[in-house]
Amino acid sequence: MKHIIHASAITLIAIILSSLTIQQKNDAGWQFDRFGAAVVHTDPSHKTVHLIFTADSAFEGGQYALDVMADHNVKASFFFTGNFMRDSINHPIIRRTIADGHYVGPHGDRHILLAEWDKDRTTLASPDSALADMETAYVHLKQFGISRDSATILIPSFEWYNASHIDAFTHAGLFPINMTPGIETYRDYTTPDMSYYSSSEWIWNQLLARETSHGLDGAIILIHLGTDSTRTDKFYRYLPALLDTLDSRGYTPQRF
């Protein structure tokens, strides 16, 4: 019974959190990157972390992750592209993600790169084009019963953008987020042929060191549940250890 009450309380908090207006979120301790996307939510009354997962063309670890989180009674947040949602083969896993009570929001429609991979993040897609692409993703979400108003939190494609894109999203009543700086779990997409390849063991040790040195209060942690087949060292297999470690260190995973 205590376990059920705890789960209900977490779900209620998540519903309240996702329904806050942008201004309320701004006033509630959110921290933003230099472009205006939220990267940390600090709740002084709870040691919370936010696990986020994105999907475009690959999601082979989705079923595994959902099983692990169900076993641990944990809710997370998933961000799908229109590419992913258009493919009927993915519909069962999308429906299960929603049925399991996780947050589901957009990651763009065609997964377009909004800005160059340069220091200045030179604009590739205009702000209007970026917003139109995101709005199309909402059309696909609606087919799964998710309204735009209930899923205003989003992640731009490739987690890459500049201030003009964030301005376009926020002026449209949307709330862009990104992973917390200094947490390197996103490197789980790298493959052995890359000079900057990061093994899952390295990623795991980096995360533990980051928690020890800075803590993870309010952190947004990105993990990819679909990676290139040449990467056999899948970091999402560390999910059970991650959830156990967070629990032992007093953190509560919370969906948006």
Side-chain angles (χ1 to χ4, degrees):
M1 178 62 72
K2 181 179 178 182
H3 187 68
I4 295 174
I5 293 174
H6 176 72
S8 299
I10 294 300
T11 301
L12 179 60
I13 290 171
I15 293 172
I16 294 172
L17 179 61
S18 64
S19 66
L20 292 176
T21 66
I22 289 175
Q23 186 57 50
Q24 287 172 322
K25 287 167 183 166
N26 290 347
D27 295 339
W30 289 81
Q31 299 174 24
F32 302 84
D33 65 17
R34 64 190 177 100
F35 304 103
V39 292
V40 176
H41 173 254
T42 302
D43 183 343
S45 62
H46 296 88
K47 289 185 66 173
T48 58
V49 296
H50 306 283
L51 301 178
I52 60 174
F53 307 96
T54 58
D56 177 46
S57 59
F59 200 60
E60 79 279 354
Q63 201 75 249
Y64 171 79
L66 289 173
D67 288 344
V68 170
M69 287 186 288
D71 288 343
H72 286 75
N73 194 35
V74 163
K75 305 302 180 188
S77 300
F78 293 75
F79 297 86
F80 298 136
T81 66
N83 293 334
F84 186 78
M85 292 184 282
R86 273 189 292 274
D87 191 338
S88 61
I89 198 171
N90 297 321
H91 291 182
I93 193 75
I94 295 171
R95 293 193 181 98
R96 182 190 169 183
T97 304
I98 297 169
D100 282 2
H102 301 288
Y103 176 88
V104 175
H107 190 42
D109 180 48
R110 292 175 291 119
H111 204 230
I112 58 177
L113 185 61
L114 304 182
E116 290 277 12
W117 298 105
D118 58 19
K119 181 179 179 181
D120 296 327
R121 299 200 186 189
T122 305
T123 299
L124 288 176
S126 70
D128 287 345
S129 296
L131 180 58
D133 181 76
M134 194 64 69
E135 295 288 9
T136 303
Y138 278 111
V139 174
H140 294 290
L141 283 172
K142 188 175 181 179
Q143 296 174 351
F144 294 95
I146 298 175
S147 69
R148 186 183 187 278
D149 290 343
S150 67
T152 55
I153 296 174
L154 62 88
I155 298 181
S157 299
F158 290 97
E159 300 84 47
W160 199 254
Y161 44 80
N162 60 34
S164 69
H165 302 119
I166 300 303
D167 286 344
F169 293 140
T170 55
H171 286 152
L174 304 175
F175 193 77
I177 67 168
N178 207 344
M179 53 203 166
T180 299
I183 296 176
E184 307 290 329
T185 51
Y186 73 93
R187 293 182 180 275
D188 60 353
Y189 78 91
T190 58
T191 53
D193 59 304
M194 297 177 176
S195 61
Y196 48 91
Y197 173 69
S198 300
S199 70
S200 291
E201 182 180 8
W202 182 91
I203 293 171
W204 175 245
N205 289 332
Q206 192 277 333
L207 179 62
L208 295 180
R210 175 62 166 70
E211 192 281 328
T212 300
S213 61
H214 293 82
L216 295 175
D217 294 7
I220 300 173
I221 303 172
L222 172 66
I223 297 173
H224 293 102
L225 297 179
T227 61
D228 192 278
S229 60
T230 60
R231 183 186 179 107
T232 58
D233 180 24
K234 307 289 189 178
F235 182 69
Y236 57 73
R237 292 290 176 180
Y238 278 69
L239 191 56
L242 173 59
L243 295 179
D244 288 341
T245 300
L246 290 173
D247 181 64
S248 68
R249 299 190 183 188
Y251 296 97
T252 300
Q254 185 181 95
R255 52 153 277 181
F256 287 111

